Structures are given as C-alpha cells and as structure tokens.
Amino acid sequence: MSPPQKLIIDTDPGQDDAVAILLALASPELDLLGITTVAGNVPLSLTQENARKICDLAGRQDMPVFAGADRPLARNLVTAEHVHGRTGLDGPELPDPVTPLQDRHAVDFLIETLRQEEAGSVTIAPVGPLTNIAMALRQAPDIAPRIGQIVLMGGGCFEGGNITPAAEFNIYVDPEAAAEVFAARIPIVMMPLDVTHKALTTTVRTQAIRGIGTRTAMAVADMLEFFERFDEEKYGSDGGPLHDPCTIAWMLRPDLFAGRQCNVEIETGSDLTMGMTVIDWWQVTDRPHNAFVVGDIDSDGFFDLVTERLARLP
Ligand code: BDR
Ligand code: CA
C-alpha cells in the first residue's frame, strides 16, 4: 500500500464539515496533519470549538486544531445560522470539547507545515471561506509551489448560487481570498454545488448511518437530520446536500467523480454577482486552465463510502 496522503482540512464546522473531518479521520489512506478553522458558517469562537468536539467524538483528542481568521480579508463576516443552527453544529447534544486548541495561529501552522514537509506532498482541503489559505499565501508566497493540491468545496457552475442567485456561500463570504487562491497557480480541484446538490442525505441514506449504532454514527445522523431541514424546504428534495465530504471522498475515490480542467475566475466587483465563480466550462475563452472542476458524482457510491468509513469510528 502507498504511504498515506498528507492532508490539512481548513474548515468552519458546520454539520457537513463535521462529516468531512470524520471521513478523513476514519480513512487510513489519509494522514491528517491538523485542522485549521476559520470564521464562516458561524463565528470563529464556535467553529474552533466545533472542530474540537468532532475530534472528541472520533476519539482523536490528539488531533491538533488551530484557530485562524475571524473575519474575511476585506469584508464583514456573513454567517449561516439559518442553515446550521445557532451553534453551527445543531442536532446532537455534544459535550464541551476536551481536544485542546493549539496556541499557534492557523496561518502559521499552514506556513510552517508546508515549509517543513516535502514539497508537493501536502494536500489542503478547504471547506469554508478561503481566508486562511489566502492569508498564508500573502504572508509566505514561497509555499504556493510546495502545496501538492487544493481540493476545495465552493462555487457553482450551471447550478448557480445558494446564498445569492449567483454565489455559493464559501466563495461569497470571502471573494477576495478566493480570487487570490485561484490565481496562485496551485493545482486546484473544485467541488461546486453542481456536484454537492447530487449528494443528498435521503432518508434511506441517513437511516443507514444511524443503523451503524455507534456514538459517532448516531451523532452524525442527528446532525444530518437537523441540517437537511433547511434545504429540503428550499429545494423540495428528500435530504440536503452533503457538500464538504465530497472533497475527502475525491482523495479516497476519484473514480466516483467526473469533471474537466477549466478556467475559473471570481467576481469581486459587482454587487449583483459578488462571489460568483465564472467557470469557462465550454472553453469559450483562451483564459488558462486553473482548476479541475468536478461536475458529476456517483452519489450511491459516495454514500456507501461515507457509511462504511463512519462505521470504523467509535
Ligand atoms: C458550503 O457552505 C457551508 O454552509 C457548508 O458547510 C459548505 O461548506 C456550501 O455552500
Ligand atoms: Ca463548510
């Protein structure tokens, strides 16, 4: 077996972020070096706490968790309590975290780790606003060519937006940061809403997770049942989109996905379309490719993977 892929998850938990973290913790193919947190779904004081609660749940109090940016680069923070609840992780009753918060700033951890590890060996999976990643690139441009790849959840192509008609939440919250990351010449894999809206937590799938019967699986089922109510009402679907774990699933099973290399530019000027990801899917410009944009997913295969992996946790 090849050695595990080194990974840092940058996150704003969030129930779907929680499943992304748990999927990584349950997967021996991945070596999770640390979790960096950012303000997004809820303020930083809650996202860092939520990340630590998730580590506790998985019995991984040894996992280093860092707090990063408490606001976007150039804007006021927009949050999503209307989706994720007041705590960001509404659903299960989780005790106060035991996993400690590290002293170091998330951005310092990113920079130091990328300088220390072999160039090209570390993947970053950002599943919240891209503020920490852009700050690290600003402070230490030398890390850009050392990043193996960025596998991010964000944006939309034909699916449009979910926080405005044009913009997806993670990109909308910090469009300047997103623009800098997409311009940094780092290999990027992008999981837009076009993919994640096909990864629905249907009743059957959530019941299969609950059926595992472990404390982690029951907590995940409680999270998903809370989280999906907002999107079920909005889209009239059975279940809500399990956005963020698509990034981790890509690392484990890229065969579950299909996409193509595209140019992606981020709108930072227009109020109407702020944070829109302008994806040249049909290659109608000669702008250079800067991301592999995923467009399709085998959603049954994806949920089988998530369910099988969650069953490995306590
Ligand atoms: C993204 O926004 C957040 O609400 C989710 O956690 C996900 O990262 C979906 O637009
Ligand atoms: Ca998220």
Side-chain angles (χ1 to χ4, degrees):
M1 207 175 105
S2 41
Q5 301 179 66
K6 291 178 181 155
L7 171 67
I8 298 171
I9 299 181
D10 187 73
T11 175
D12 62 338
Q15 293 87 350
D16 60 323
D17 303 70
V19 180
I21 294 168
L22 292 168
L23 180 57
L25 289 174
S27 296
E29 303 93 325
L30 303 177
D31 176 10
L32 187 58
L33 302 177
I35 298 171
T36 53
T37 58
V38 65
N41 286 323
V42 285
L44 181 70
S45 56
L46 289 168
T47 59
Q48 59 85 358
E49 203 170 271
N50 291 344
R52 292 155 58 214
K53 287 182 180 174
I54 298 155
C55 294
D56 285 3
L57 196 55
R60 289 299 304 276
Q61 290 90 345
D62 60 308
M63 181 54 55
V65 176
F66 302 84
D70 64 0
R71 70 178 76 102
L73 294 181
R75 293 170 192 278
N76 293 329
L77 177 64
V78 175
T79 53
E81 284 87 357
H82 58 292
V83 183
H84 299 272
R86 191 186 53 78
T87 66
L89 211 52
D90 279 17
E93 282 298 319
L94 296 174
D96 288 343
V98 175
T99 303
L101 181 66
Q102 301 294 314
D103 290 336
R104 248 189 306 169
H105 192 281
V107 170
D108 294 333
F109 169 73
L110 282 163
I111 294 171
E112 284 159 26
T113 306
L114 288 160
R115 283 182 175 161
Q116 198 174 302
E117 297 290 340
E118 193 189 327
S121 69
V122 178
T123 295
I124 305 178
V127 292
L130 287 158
T131 321
N132 284 339
I133 315 303
M135 282 174 68
L137 290 168
R138 277 185 181 188
Q139 282 179 37
D142 59 288
I143 62 171
R146 302 187 67 83
I147 299 173
Q149 60 175 345
I150 289 181
V151 185
L152 64 87
M153 189 281 136
C157 187
F158 302 104
E159 196 68 7
N162 61 357
I163 184 82
T164 75
E168 180 279 329
F169 180 79
N170 289 341
I171 307 294
Y172 179 78
V173 171
D174 200 341
E176 283 76 17
E180 290 181 25
V181 171
F182 276 88
R185 295 172 183 273
I186 300 163
I188 292 178
V189 177
M190 171 178 178
M191 292 289 165
L193 294 176
D194 304 72
V195 177
T196 67
H197 280 179
K198 292 176 188 146
L200 294 175
T201 59
T202 61
T203 311
V204 170
R205 290 167 175 166
T206 311
Q207 276 173 356
I209 292 173
R210 186 176 294 286
I212 297 169
T214 56
R215 79 162 184 234
T216 301
M218 311 280 262
V220 166
D222 288 347
M223 283 184 213
L224 297 183
E225 278 165 11
F226 179 87
F227 175 61
E228 68 193 11
R229 91 219 173 284
F230 176 81
D231 285 311
E232 283 181 333
E233 206 170 296
K234 183 168 160 191
Y235 301 114
S237 52
D238 174 14
L242 194 56
H243 306 280
D244 294 344
C246 291
T247 58
I248 307 302
W250 163 269
M251 296 189 67
L252 299 168
R253 289 281 310 277
D255 60 299
L256 294 174
F257 299 88
R260 56 173 74 165
Q261 294 287 348
C262 295
N263 174 268
V264 181
E265 303 291 332
I266 313 295
E267 176 61 61
T268 56
S270 149
D271 281 343
L272 184 64
T273 56
M274 183 62 66
M276 182 176 180
T277 48
V278 179
I279 300 174
D280 188 3
W281 183 261
W282 298 117
Q283 322 280 323
V284 296
T285 72
D286 55 7
R287 293 197 285 259
H289 294 165
N290 59 353
F292 183 80
V293 179
V294 181
D296 213 352
I297 178 173
D298 167 357
S299 57
D300 284 332
F302 167 72
F303 274 93
D304 286 349
L305 174 70
V306 170
T307 308
E308 182 261 315
R309 293 303 164 101
L310 287 176
R312 300 181 185 197
L313 294 173

